[in-house]
Structure formats: structure tokens, C-alpha cells
Amino acid sequence: MGKKIAKRLQTLRAKVDSQKIYDVQSGVSAVKSLASAKFDETVEVALCLGVDPRHADQMIRGAVVLPHGTGKKVRVAVFAKGIKADEAKNAGANVVGADDLADEIKNGNINFDIVIATPDMMALVGKVGRILGPKGLMPNPKTGTVTMDVAKAVSNAKSGQVNFRVDKKGIIHAPIGKASFQEDKIVDNMLELVRAINKLKPTSAKGKYIRSSSVSLTMSPAIKLDSQELMDTK
């Protein structure tokens, strides 16, 4: 870590009460005040869930379209043929193909953020799964990226769909906008994400569902949030 970055982080940490638990509105307000980079930083939420991802029924995974988008221009690739390929192109997909798209991926040409596929294409997609999987790009029915309605999937991706999944430690990290967004828009996006995660609470999960939560910027310390307020968000 460079001296400039370390000094800037120290300055930002001095602005944050690390022991304080913020409600959602004041937490968002506080994190916006920490914007210090030369670019428009991403606002990210981290939720530590009371689940054990080793159990299939506790693997929390899904997708949600944020009401105000993520602030990021998303490039979409679609595996489809015939009419479905035409639908994807008309919906604004950046790359559409089948074997040719798989070859591009094998050659390391991955210039997209989300991959969508029609169900009949999944055998082909599976051949590049080792490349797409580690990058978090593998299409999945749970995130709406394996579907016959490719037009809707492309539209959702372009308008701010966020795919989320719990990691091995039970934590979900997800972007909810940019530091330049108005506070209320960040709050709306956060609560929409939390609602989607709350709906997926497994019956087998014991104890508190959202054990801890925080919001941060790309280059800022984290602001602790009131997890009970988030769990009460329906």
C-alpha cells in the first residue's frame, strides 16, 4: 500500500466511529461523505448471514433489478441461435453467438459483464464453464440468466440487475450504486436488495439471519449498519 493511500485511509477512518451502528439512512449519508477517489466510487453492501453454504438449501443465491440501477454500463453476452439470437440483439445485447462465442471465450476474449443463455445452449456453455465459473459469469436459472425470455434478461441486465450469492464464509457482497447517487436512491437500492435476500431465508437457518452488515465505497472504510432494521425490511 502506497503512503498516499495509507494516509488517505487514515484520514477517512478518523471520520468514522467504528463502534457506532448506523441506521440505513444515516449510514448511507455517512458513507457518501467518505468519497475521496478521483473516480465515481461504487457503493457496496456486505451482509454476513447466519447460514451454512455447505448445505445446498442454505446456499443463498439470486438476482434483483435495482430501482435506480448500479450506475455501471453493463456489457451483455448471450448464447442463443435463430429467433432467440435476433431477440437478444434487438434487446441490446453486446455479443450474441453460439460456437463462435464459445471459441472467443476459449481464446480469452471476455469483454462482457454478464452471460445469458437459452436452456438449449447450456451444453455448449458447459464447455467453457471452467473459464466462466471462476469469473462469476456462468449463467444460472436462479439469477434469471438461463431463460427463453432473452429479451427480458438482457433488459434486466442493462437496467441494473445485480446477481448475488453467499460466499464460503456466509457473506454476500453486492454493489448498490455509485457515490454520486442521491442518498435516497442508494437507500432504495439497498432495501430492494435486502428484500430479495430476506425472501430467500431458508427455514433450516438457525439464529439471526443477518448477523452483521455494513456499507462502504470502493476506497473507504466500512460503516456498520443496524442489521435488525435490515431484517425487518419486507
Side-chain angles (χ1 to χ4, degrees):
M1 185 182 290
K3 286 185 179 179
K4 281 186 179 178
I5 296 176
K7 190 173 182 181
R8 189 166 53 76
L9 270 177
Q10 283 181 350
T11 304
L12 293 177
R13 285 190 181 121
K15 291 183 177 182
V16 178
D17 181 350
S18 61
Q19 301 305 311
K20 182 176 178 180
I21 304 294
Y22 292 76
D23 63 59
V24 170
Q25 190 75 47
S26 61
V28 168
S29 178
V31 86
K32 269 181 64 70
S33 73
L34 299 178
S36 64
K38 292 179 181 177
F39 60 91
D40 193 6
E41 296 175 73
T42 296
V43 185
E44 185 178 83
V45 167
L47 304 172
C48 180
L49 304 183
V51 298
D52 185 347
R54 291 175 299 179
H55 299 295
D57 64 328
Q58 294 188 35
M59 169 49 76
I60 308 299
R61 181 175 191 168
V64 61
V65 178
L66 301 181
H68 306 292
T70 61
K72 178 184 177 182
K73 287 186 178 179
V74 178
R75 289 183 58 82
V76 180
V78 180
F79 278 92
K81 286 183 177 179
I83 294 172
K84 291 300 169 183
D86 292 337
E87 288 178 9
K89 288 173 187 172
N90 292 336
N94 301 90
V95 187
V96 181
D99 292 288
D100 53 336
L101 178 52
D103 288 339
E104 285 289 306
I105 291 169
K106 286 175 186 174
N107 292 329
N109 298 325
I110 301 176
N111 59 340
F112 40 80
D113 308 292
I114 290 180
V115 180
I116 294 163
T118 52
D120 57 305
M121 290 280 104
M122 285 309 291
L124 175 60
V125 177
K127 292 179 180 178
V128 289
R130 284 185 179 180
I131 301 170
L132 296 179
K135 295 181 182 296
L137 294 173
M138 193 68 182
N140 188 293
K142 289 185 178 179
T143 59
T145 48
V146 177
T147 176
M148 288 302 287
D149 194 349
V150 289
K152 182 180 179 182
V154 171
S155 175
N156 284 346
K158 290 280 187 178
S159 60
Q161 176 171 305
V162 168
N163 298 332
F164 57 84
R165 65 178 292 170
V166 69
D167 66 17
K168 291 177 182 177
K169 295 180 180 178
I171 299 171
I172 286 177
H173 293 273
I176 54 166
K178 294 289 186 179
S180 61
F181 280 24
Q182 294 174 344
E183 282 182 26
D184 287 348
K185 289 186 176 181
I186 297 173
V187 170
D188 286 348
N189 279 354
M190 184 192 300
L191 296 182
E192 190 68 16
L193 170 73
V194 170
R195 282 188 199 99
I197 293 170
N198 281 343
K199 285 177 184 175
L200 296 174
K201 180 183 179 182
T203 53
S204 57
K206 301 289 186 264
K208 199 173 181 182
Y209 183 46
I210 301 179
R211 290 180 174 174
S212 62
S213 51
S214 64
V215 62
S216 61
L217 301 179
T218 308
M219 311 270 294
S220 85
I223 300 282
K224 292 179 182 176
L225 296 173
D226 181 351
S227 297
Q228 189 60 51
E229 181 185 355
L230 296 180
M231 281 194 297
D232 291 341
T233 301
K234 301 291 187 249

